[in-house]
């Protein structure tokens, strides 16, 4: 097991067979030592190619995106916002269905921050059904930018996120991939 | 002028006399080189005393809080969430009036993440009327934790935030303090 997997076993709380609470070290309180390690790990998965920017979603993706950037020569991070864009200017938007909250929300990004031809690395905290990541790839497609890969902190390997993203042609790397969470026991792939 | 002040002059957009848009380098797209410099700057204002944790608010405070933590031995970061707490367990909450959005919202934090006697450094992106920072100090008071200081990225020095916080006994340090933004011209204190 790697550092994140060990920590999930120690401090993760399985609420149902599909919901994992990591509030005490990733999503509400952040262990910054672990955050830095995660950023370094994700950067290593993608550092063999040119990347112009990292794209994520507010709020819980931000820390992982900047932590990854620290290990990729501090390239810029853009975070898509939830809700419709209330500011002036052109923007891209996409609908995302949230598995955890059972609602659809809109994400948006100012058009000036994702540019045609830019090589974009997408970073997010969780991958379950893949809807958030697909929403982010959708923003990149609208901008005619190229998604060079998708880096995930915790993948729920028993849900279809990875297969949907790979079927769409994207490279997916995760730090921890959970095989199942049956009977409150977490097993990794 | 310091690095942040130079960048605000170069790329900040004054929307009205009181609204400054820093979307292109701080609040939507993040210049991670500048972010790291800001984190180091804020850490230096407070590194002469013991600090247990950094407290901020989602979403735009997160990057600055973790960047500051990188320069304070990677102490844990806690981010208060907007909205009422939907999860189980005890939590602290406070109401915050948003100057920019002209609405009141609730922030909340799990009780287990701010503990009695802990020394807390509050970090936030903007200081205007001081309501967000006061909301965060309120959470700390409920938890019987001690606020050792409040670090702000951009202070609007022509609004009463600092004087309200100082009147309540808090130490406030900002990276850039704007004296006024009249006629689309930004002047620093």
């Amino acid at each position: 097991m790697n550092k994140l997997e060990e920590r999930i076993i120690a401090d993760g709380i399985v609420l149902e067979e599909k919901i994992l609470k990591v509030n005490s070290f990733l999503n509400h309180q952040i262990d910054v030592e672990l955050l830095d390690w995660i950023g370094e790990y994700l950067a290593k998965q993608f550092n063999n190619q040119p990347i112009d920017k990292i794209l994520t979603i507010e709020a819980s993706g931000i820390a992982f995106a900047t932590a990854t950037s620290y290990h990729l020569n501090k390239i810029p991070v853009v975070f898509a916002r939830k809700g419709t864009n209330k500011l002036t200017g052109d923007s891209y938007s996409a609908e995302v269905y949230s598995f955890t909250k059972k609602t659809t929300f809109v994400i948006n990004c100012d058009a000036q921050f994702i540019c045609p031809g830019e090589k974009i690395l997408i970073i997010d905290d969780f991958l379950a059904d893949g809807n958030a990541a697909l929403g982010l790839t959708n923003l990149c497609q609208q901008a005619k930018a190229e998604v060079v890969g998708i880096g995930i902190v915790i993948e729920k390997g028993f849900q279809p996120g990875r297969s949907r993203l790979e079927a769409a042609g994207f490279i997916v790397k995760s730090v921890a991939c959970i095989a199942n969470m049956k009977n409150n026991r977490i097993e990794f792939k």
Side-chain angles (χ1 to χ4, degrees), chain A:
Chain A
M1 281 196 290
N2 67 34
K3 262 193 194 186
L4 174 61
E5 291 166 339
E6 285 170 5
R7 189 62 176 273
I8 291 169
I9 293 292
D11 293 327
I13 297 171
V14 180
L15 287 184
E16 301 165 32
E17 279 190 13
K18 285 186 170 183
I19 307 273
L20 174 67
K21 200 171 156 184
V22 290
N23 272 8
S24 65
F25 55 104
L26 290 184
N27 266 348
H28 186 9
Q29 178 166 253
I30 302 171
D31 178 332
V32 179
E33 289 271 6
L34 182 65
L35 173 70
D36 186 36
W37 179 86
I38 289 168
E40 188 177 9
Y41 186 105
L42 285 171
K44 276 185 189 158
Q45 311 306 307
F46 299 101
N47 65 4
N48 59 344
Q49 60 196 312
I51 302 172
D52 296 308
K53 268 178 198 171
I54 294 174
L55 177 66
T56 189
I57 305 189
E58 67 175 2
S60 48
I62 295 173
F64 304 109
T66 56
T68 305
S69 164
Y70 271 82
H71 294 276
L72 286 175
N73 301 313
K74 296 184 185 146
I75 54 173
V77 165
V78 175
F79 59 92
R81 286 171 158 168
K82 289 174 182 169
T84 47
N85 187 346
K86 285 163 202 130
L87 295 168
T88 50
D90 288 339
S91 69
Y92 305 118
S93 65
E95 288 197 343
V96 172
Y97 176 77
S98 166
F99 165 78
T100 320
K101 296 180 182 170
K102 314 249 182 275
T103 53
T104 297
F105 60 96
V106 175
I107 58 172
N108 78 80
C109 181
D110 265 37
Q112 62 179 314
F113 301 140
I114 317 177
C115 303
E118 276 185 337
K119 293 175 189 303
I120 307 285
L121 172 61
I122 289 172
I123 296 285
D124 205 7
D125 57 345
F126 274 98
L127 175 64
D129 288 345
N131 293 319
L134 282 167
L136 290 170
T137 66
N138 185 334
L139 300 181
C140 293
Q141 280 154 359
Q142 289 175 53
K144 301 192 196 323
E146 180 192 345
V147 176
V148 298
I150 299 171
I152 298 293
V153 181
I154 302 178
E155 176 184 349
K156 293 175 176 169
F158 52 88
Q159 287 184 249
R162 175 181 288 269
S163 54
R164 290 177 70 201
L165 291 169
E166 288 180 344
F170 300 112
I171 294 162
V172 181
K173 304 277 184 183
S174 59
V175 186
C177 181
I178 298 172
N180 72 71
M181 303 197 291
K182 286 180 187 153
N183 306 317
N184 284 339
R185 252 196 92 209
I186 298 166
E187 281 177 19
F188 296 101
K189 276 199 177 164

